[in-house]
Amino acid sequence: LLDSLLQEILSLVNNLAVVCSMLASLFLVFILYQPTQTITSMALTSVQFEVFGKVQGVFFRKCTLKQATALGLRGWVQNTRDKTVVGVLEGQQDKVEEMKDWLKKIGSPKSRIDSAVFSEQIKVEKMDFEAFEIIK
């Protein structure tokens, strides 16, 4: 009886080892497999911007800071003497594209965006900024 019980336990342990091995293999496949979209979204991008319209005196920089931070972006935003707002965005490519749309179409509640110009968009290996900030 004891011998039979011991054999049954050994069989269960072997089966458990096989199941664990299979689960580990599936986990590795899951971790290593990255769809193209995910890889693209993880690429880091940097872009400069300038926004034209009624973008000063309407909390545009503050809202830009809030939106960029929510998207996990880094860089800066600043008013100009020409009554525009300029800055730099850096972060995951898909998040930068989302922020570009926000700068073109949404902005702060009281702003009026006539246009947004983006330049110097490049892929980067690492981010140059520690956070997103307002430059006065």
mmCIF file with all atom_site columns, all heavy atoms in Angstrom, residues 119-134:
data_model
loop_
_atom_site.group_PDB
_atom_site.id
_atom_site.type_symbol
_atom_site.label_atom_id
_atom_site.label_alt_id
_atom_site.label_comp_id
_atom_site.label_asym_id
_atom_site.label_entity_id
_atom_site.label_seq_id
_atom_site.pdbx_PDB_ins_code
_atom_site.Cartn_x
_atom_site.Cartn_y
_atom_site.Cartn_z
_atom_site.occupancy
_atom_site.B_iso_or_equiv
_atom_site.pdbx_formal_charge
_atom_site.auth_seq_id
_atom_site.auth_comp_id
_atom_site.auth_asym_id
_atom_site.auth_atom_id
_atom_site.pdbx_PDB_model_num
ATOM 1   N N   . SER A 1 119 ? 8.607  70.000 -36.361 1.00 0.00 ? 119 SER A N   1
ATOM 2   C CA  . SER A 1 119 ? 9.865  69.919 -37.117 1.00 0.00 ? 119 SER A CA  1
ATOM 3   C C   . SER A 1 119 ? 10.880 69.078 -36.359 1.00 0.00 ? 119 SER A C   1
ATOM 4   O O   . SER A 1 119 ? 10.708 68.789 -35.175 1.00 0.00 ? 119 SER A O   1
ATOM 5   C CB  . SER A 1 119 ? 10.433 71.318 -37.361 1.00 0.00 ? 119 SER A CB  1
ATOM 6   O OG  . SER A 1 119 ? 10.698 71.961 -36.124 1.00 0.00 ? 119 SER A OG  1
ATOM 7   N N   . GLU A 1 120 ? 11.927 68.730 -37.071 1.00 0.00 ? 120 GLU A N   1
ATOM 8   C CA  . GLU A 1 120 ? 13.046 67.989 -36.463 1.00 0.00 ? 120 GLU A CA  1
ATOM 9   C C   . GLU A 1 120 ? 12.586 66.711 -35.776 1.00 0.00 ? 120 GLU A C   1
ATOM 10  O O   . GLU A 1 120 ? 13.117 66.353 -34.712 1.00 0.00 ? 120 GLU A O   1
ATOM 11  C CB  . GLU A 1 120 ? 13.806 68.861 -35.464 1.00 0.00 ? 120 GLU A CB  1
ATOM 12  C CG  . GLU A 1 120 ? 14.288 70.186 -36.003 1.00 0.00 ? 120 GLU A CG  1
ATOM 13  C CD  . GLU A 1 120 ? 15.398 70.054 -37.029 1.00 0.00 ? 120 GLU A CD  1
ATOM 14  O OE1 . GLU A 1 120 ? 16.255 69.167 -36.872 1.00 0.00 ? 120 GLU A OE1 1
ATOM 15  O OE2 . GLU A 1 120 ? 15.388 70.830 -38.000 1.00 0.00 ? 120 GLU A OE2 1
ATOM 16  N N   . GLN A 1 121 ? 11.601 66.005 -36.355 1.00 0.00 ? 121 GLN A N   1
ATOM 17  C CA  . GLN A 1 121 ? 11.166 64.746 -35.735 1.00 0.00 ? 121 GLN A CA  1
ATOM 18  C C   . GLN A 1 121 ? 12.185 63.662 -36.076 1.00 0.00 ? 121 GLN A C   1
ATOM 19  O O   . GLN A 1 121 ? 12.431 63.386 -37.251 1.00 0.00 ? 121 GLN A O   1
ATOM 20  C CB  . GLN A 1 121 ? 9.767  64.330 -36.189 1.00 0.00 ? 121 GLN A CB  1
ATOM 21  C CG  . GLN A 1 121 ? 9.298  63.078 -35.463 1.00 0.00 ? 121 GLN A CG  1
ATOM 22  C CD  . GLN A 1 121 ? 7.791  62.907 -35.453 1.00 0.00 ? 121 GLN A CD  1
ATOM 23  O OE1 . GLN A 1 121 ? 7.046  63.819 -35.814 1.00 0.00 ? 121 GLN A OE1 1
ATOM 24  N NE2 . GLN A 1 121 ? 7.345  61.743 -35.027 1.00 0.00 ? 121 GLN A NE2 1
ATOM 25  N N   . ILE A 1 122 ? 12.776 63.097 -35.026 1.00 0.00 ? 122 ILE A N   1
ATOM 26  C CA  . ILE A 1 122 ? 13.803 62.074 -35.214 1.00 0.00 ? 122 ILE A CA  1
ATOM 27  C C   . ILE A 1 122 ? 13.602 60.940 -34.217 1.00 0.00 ? 122 ILE A C   1
ATOM 28  O O   . ILE A 1 122 ? 13.011 61.129 -33.159 1.00 0.00 ? 122 ILE A O   1
ATOM 29  C CB  . ILE A 1 122 ? 15.232 62.651 -35.041 1.00 0.00 ? 122 ILE A CB  1
ATOM 30  C CG1 . ILE A 1 122 ? 15.380 63.307 -33.656 1.00 0.00 ? 122 ILE A CG1 1
ATOM 31  C CG2 . ILE A 1 122 ? 15.569 63.635 -36.149 1.00 0.00 ? 122 ILE A CG2 1
ATOM 32  C CD1 . ILE A 1 122 ? 16.797 63.701 -33.298 1.00 0.00 ? 122 ILE A CD1 1
ATOM 33  N N   . LYS A 1 123 ? 14.110 59.774 -34.581 1.00 0.00 ? 123 LYS A N   1
ATOM 34  C CA  . LYS A 1 123 ? 14.151 58.665 -33.635 1.00 0.00 ? 123 LYS A CA  1
ATOM 35  C C   . LYS A 1 123 ? 15.365 58.869 -32.751 1.00 0.00 ? 123 LYS A C   1
ATOM 36  O O   . LYS A 1 123 ? 16.420 59.306 -33.210 1.00 0.00 ? 123 LYS A O   1
ATOM 37  C CB  . LYS A 1 123 ? 14.260 57.329 -34.369 1.00 0.00 ? 123 LYS A CB  1
ATOM 38  C CG  . LYS A 1 123 ? 13.008 56.961 -35.106 1.00 0.00 ? 123 LYS A CG  1
ATOM 39  C CD  . LYS A 1 123 ? 13.122 55.611 -35.762 1.00 0.00 ? 123 LYS A CD  1
ATOM 40  C CE  . LYS A 1 123 ? 11.828 55.295 -36.484 1.00 0.00 ? 123 LYS A CE  1
ATOM 41  N NZ  . LYS A 1 123 ? 11.886 54.020 -37.180 1.00 0.00 ? 123 LYS A NZ  1
ATOM 42  N N   . VAL A 1 124 ? 15.199 58.574 -31.459 1.00 0.00 ? 124 VAL A N   1
ATOM 43  C CA  . VAL A 1 124 ? 16.302 58.728 -30.508 1.00 0.00 ? 124 VAL A CA  1
ATOM 44  C C   . VAL A 1 124 ? 16.506 57.427 -29.747 1.00 0.00 ? 124 VAL A C   1
ATOM 45  O O   . VAL A 1 124 ? 15.580 56.635 -29.591 1.00 0.00 ? 124 VAL A O   1
ATOM 46  C CB  . VAL A 1 124 ? 16.051 59.904 -29.523 1.00 0.00 ? 124 VAL A CB  1
ATOM 47  C CG1 . VAL A 1 124 ? 16.052 61.233 -30.251 1.00 0.00 ? 124 VAL A CG1 1
ATOM 48  C CG2 . VAL A 1 124 ? 14.759 59.732 -28.758 1.00 0.00 ? 124 VAL A CG2 1
ATOM 49  N N   . GLU A 1 125 ? 17.706 57.219 -29.305 1.00 0.00 ? 125 GLU A N   1
ATOM 50  C CA  . GLU A 1 125 ? 18.038 56.017 -28.536 1.00 0.00 ? 125 GLU A CA  1
ATOM 51  C C   . GLU A 1 125 ? 17.612 56.142 -27.083 1.00 0.00 ? 125 GLU A C   1
ATOM 52  O O   . GLU A 1 125 ? 17.213 55.174 -26.463 1.00 0.00 ? 125 GLU A O   1
ATOM 53  C CB  . GLU A 1 125 ? 19.548 55.753 -28.602 1.00 0.00 ? 125 GLU A CB  1
ATOM 54  C CG  . GLU A 1 125 ? 20.039 55.376 -29.985 1.00 0.00 ? 125 GLU A CG  1
ATOM 55  C CD  . GLU A 1 125 ? 19.471 54.054 -30.456 1.00 0.00 ? 125 GLU A CD  1
ATOM 56  O OE1 . GLU A 1 125 ? 19.409 53.102 -29.652 1.00 0.00 ? 125 GLU A OE1 1
ATOM 57  O OE2 . GLU A 1 125 ? 19.059 53.981 -31.635 1.00 0.00 ? 125 GLU A OE2 1
ATOM 58  N N   . LYS A 1 126 ? 17.754 57.377 -26.549 1.00 0.00 ? 126 LYS A N   1
ATOM 59  C CA  . LYS A 1 126 ? 17.375 57.612 -25.152 1.00 0.00 ? 126 LYS A CA  1
ATOM 60  C C   . LYS A 1 126 ? 16.823 59.021 -25.034 1.00 0.00 ? 126 LYS A C   1
ATOM 61  O O   . LYS A 1 126 ? 17.068 59.869 -25.889 1.00 0.00 ? 126 LYS A O   1
ATOM 62  C CB  . LYS A 1 126 ? 18.560 57.417 -24.216 1.00 0.00 ? 126 LYS A CB  1
ATOM 63  C CG  . LYS A 1 126 ? 19.680 58.405 -24.416 1.00 0.00 ? 126 LYS A CG  1
ATOM 64  C CD  . LYS A 1 126 ? 20.793 58.182 -23.404 1.00 0.00 ? 126 LYS A CD  1
ATOM 65  C CE  . LYS A 1 126 ? 21.852 59.246 -23.495 1.00 0.00 ? 126 LYS A CE  1
ATOM 66  N NZ  . LYS A 1 126 ? 21.431 60.583 -23.150 1.00 0.00 ? 126 LYS A NZ  1
ATOM 67  N N   . MET A 1 127 ? 16.083 59.234 -23.973 1.00 0.00 ? 127 MET A N   1
ATOM 68  C CA  . MET A 1 127 ? 15.489 60.551 -23.765 1.00 0.00 ? 127 MET A CA  1
ATOM 69  C C   . MET A 1 127 ? 16.501 61.496 -23.125 1.00 0.00 ? 127 MET A C   1
ATOM 70  O O   . MET A 1 127 ? 17.293 61.089 -22.279 1.00 0.00 ? 127 MET A O   1
ATOM 71  C CB  . MET A 1 127 ? 14.227 60.436 -22.928 1.00 0.00 ? 127 MET A CB  1
ATOM 72  C CG  . MET A 1 127 ? 13.116 59.712 -23.672 1.00 0.00 ? 127 MET A CG  1
ATOM 73  S SD  . MET A 1 127 ? 11.501 59.919 -22.931 1.00 0.00 ? 127 MET A SD  1
ATOM 74  C CE  . MET A 1 127 ? 11.342 58.382 -22.070 1.00 0.00 ? 127 MET A CE  1
ATOM 75  N N   . ASP A 1 128 ? 16.463 62.753 -23.555 1.00 0.00 ? 128 ASP A N   1
ATOM 76  C CA  . ASP A 1 128 ? 17.388 63.762 -23.034 1.00 0.00 ? 128 ASP A CA  1
ATOM 77  C C   . ASP A 1 128 ? 16.852 64.497 -21.810 1.00 0.00 ? 128 ASP A C   1
ATOM 78  O O   . ASP A 1 128 ? 17.612 65.106 -21.074 1.00 0.00 ? 128 ASP A O   1
ATOM 79  C CB  . ASP A 1 128 ? 17.694 64.801 -24.115 1.00 0.00 ? 128 ASP A CB  1
ATOM 80  C CG  . ASP A 1 128 ? 18.550 64.228 -25.237 1.00 0.00 ? 128 ASP A CG  1
ATOM 81  O OD1 . ASP A 1 128 ? 19.368 63.323 -24.973 1.00 0.00 ? 128 ASP A OD1 1
ATOM 82  O OD2 . ASP A 1 128 ? 18.400 64.695 -26.379 1.00 0.00 ? 128 ASP A OD2 1
ATOM 83  N N   . PHE A 1 129 ? 15.537 64.463 -21.615 1.00 0.00 ? 129 PHE A N   1
ATOM 84  C CA  . PHE A 1 129 ? 14.916 65.211 -20.515 1.00 0.00 ? 129 PHE A CA  1
ATOM 85  C C   . PHE A 1 129 ? 14.462 64.260 -19.413 1.00 0.00 ? 129 PHE A C   1
ATOM 86  O O   . PHE A 1 129 ? 14.128 63.110 -19.679 1.00 0.00 ? 129 PHE A O   1
ATOM 87  C CB  . PHE A 1 129 ? 13.726 66.029 -21.026 1.00 0.00 ? 129 PHE A CB  1
ATOM 88  C CG  . PHE A 1 129 ? 14.104 67.028 -22.094 1.00 0.00 ? 129 PHE A CG  1
ATOM 89  C CD1 . PHE A 1 129 ? 13.935 66.723 -23.433 1.00 0.00 ? 129 PHE A CD1 1
ATOM 90  C CD2 . PHE A 1 129 ? 14.654 68.256 -21.757 1.00 0.00 ? 129 PHE A CD2 1
ATOM 91  C CE1 . PHE A 1 129 ? 14.289 67.628 -24.425 1.00 0.00 ? 129 PHE A CE1 1
ATOM 92  C CE2 . PHE A 1 129 ? 15.015 69.163 -22.742 1.00 0.00 ? 129 PHE A CE2 1
ATOM 93  C CZ  . PHE A 1 129 ? 14.830 68.847 -24.074 1.00 0.00 ? 129 PHE A CZ  1
ATOM 94  N N   . GLU A 1 130 ? 14.429 64.772 -18.200 1.00 0.00 ? 130 GLU A N   1
ATOM 95  C CA  . GLU A 1 130 ? 14.015 63.974 -17.050 1.00 0.00 ? 130 GLU A CA  1
ATOM 96  C C   . GLU A 1 130 ? 12.492 63.975 -16.864 1.00 0.00 ? 130 GLU A C   1
ATOM 97  O O   . GLU A 1 130 ? 11.938 63.048 -16.308 1.00 0.00 ? 130 GLU A O   1
ATOM 98  C CB  . GLU A 1 130 ? 14.666 64.508 -15.762 1.00 0.00 ? 130 GLU A CB  1
ATOM 99  C CG  . GLU A 1 130 ? 16.183 64.390 -15.748 1.00 0.00 ? 130 GLU A CG  1
ATOM 100 C CD  . GLU A 1 130 ? 16.640 62.938 -15.740 1.00 0.00 ? 130 GLU A CD  1
ATOM 101 O OE1 . GLU A 1 130 ? 16.037 62.114 -15.032 1.00 0.00 ? 130 GLU A OE1 1
ATOM 102 O OE2 . GLU A 1 130 ? 17.607 62.636 -16.467 1.00 0.00 ? 130 GLU A OE2 1
ATOM 103 N N   . ALA A 1 131 ? 11.856 65.050 -17.320 1.00 0.00 ? 131 ALA A N   1
ATOM 104 C CA  . ALA A 1 131 ? 10.403 65.212 -17.145 1.00 0.00 ? 131 ALA A CA  1
ATOM 105 C C   . ALA A 1 131 ? 9.914  66.201 -18.197 1.00 0.00 ? 131 ALA A C   1
ATOM 106 O O   . ALA A 1 131 ? 10.690 66.638 -19.045 1.00 0.00 ? 131 ALA A O   1
ATOM 107 C CB  . ALA A 1 131 ? 10.109 65.755 -15.738 1.00 0.00 ? 131 ALA A CB  1
ATOM 108 N N   . PHE A 1 132 ? 8.637  66.543 -18.135 1.00 0.00 ? 132 PHE A N   1
ATOM 109 C CA  . PHE A 1 132 ? 8.099  67.599 -18.994 1.00 0.00 ? 132 PHE A CA  1
ATOM 110 C C   . PHE A 1 132 ? 7.929  68.823 -18.109 1.00 0.00 ? 132 PHE A C   1
ATOM 111 O O   . PHE A 1 132 ? 7.414  68.711 -17.001 1.00 0.00 ? 132 PHE A O   1
ATOM 112 C CB  . PHE A 1 132 ? 6.765  67.185 -19.617 1.00 0.00 ? 132 PHE A CB  1
ATOM 113 C CG  . PHE A 1 132 ? 6.390  68.072 -20.771 1.00 0.00 ? 132 PHE A CG  1
ATOM 114 C CD1 . PHE A 1 132 ? 6.784  67.731 -22.053 1.00 0.00 ? 132 PHE A CD1 1
ATOM 115 C CD2 . PHE A 1 132 ? 5.674  69.221 -20.574 1.00 0.00 ? 132 PHE A CD2 1
ATOM 116 C CE1 . PHE A 1 132 ? 6.459  68.560 -23.131 1.00 0.00 ? 132 PHE A CE1 1
ATOM 117 C CE2 . PHE A 1 132 ? 5.345  70.065 -21.635 1.00 0.00 ? 132 PHE A CE2 1
ATOM 118 C CZ  . PHE A 1 132 ? 5.738  69.716 -22.918 1.00 0.00 ? 132 PHE A CZ  1
ATOM 119 N N   . GLU A 1 133 ? 8.365  69.993 -18.605 1.00 0.00 ? 133 GLU A N   1
ATOM 120 C CA  . GLU A 1 133 ? 8.293  71.174 -17.772 1.00 0.00 ? 133 GLU A CA  1
ATOM 121 C C   . GLU A 1 133 ? 7.919  72.429 -18.568 1.00 0.00 ? 133 GLU A C   1
ATOM 122 O O   . GLU A 1 133 ? 8.073  72.462 -19.782 1.00 0.00 ? 133 GLU A O   1
ATOM 123 C CB  . GLU A 1 133 ? 9.618  71.405 -17.042 1.00 0.00 ? 133 GLU A CB  1
ATOM 124 C CG  . GLU A 1 133 ? 10.786 71.675 -17.954 1.00 0.00 ? 133 GLU A CG  1
ATOM 125 C CD  . GLU A 1 133 ? 12.100 71.823 -17.208 1.00 0.00 ? 133 GLU A CD  1
ATOM 126 O OE1 . GLU A 1 133 ? 12.086 71.980 -15.968 1.00 0.00 ? 133 GLU A OE1 1
ATOM 127 O OE2 . GLU A 1 133 ? 13.142 71.813 -17.856 1.00 0.00 ? 133 GLU A OE2 1
ATOM 128 N N   . ILE A 1 134 ? 7.444  73.415 -17.839 1.00 0.00 ? 134 ILE A N   1
ATOM 129 C CA  . ILE A 1 134 ? 7.161  74.725 -18.406 1.00 0.00 ? 134 ILE A CA  1
ATOM 130 C C   . ILE A 1 134 ? 8.391  75.590 -18.206 1.00 0.00 ? 134 ILE A C   1
ATOM 131 O O   . ILE A 1 134 ? 8.892  75.712 -17.091 1.00 0.00 ? 134 ILE A O   1
ATOM 132 C CB  . ILE A 1 134 ? 5.933  75.383 -17.713 1.00 0.00 ? 134 ILE A CB  1
ATOM 133 C CG1 . ILE A 1 134 ? 4.672  74.566 -17.992 1.00 0.00 ? 134 ILE A CG1 1
ATOM 134 C CG2 . ILE A 1 134 ? 5.771  76.822 -18.175 1.00 0.00 ? 134 ILE A CG2 1
ATOM 135 C CD1 . ILE A 1 134 ? 3.450  75.013 -17.210 1.00 0.00 ? 134 ILE A CD1 1
#
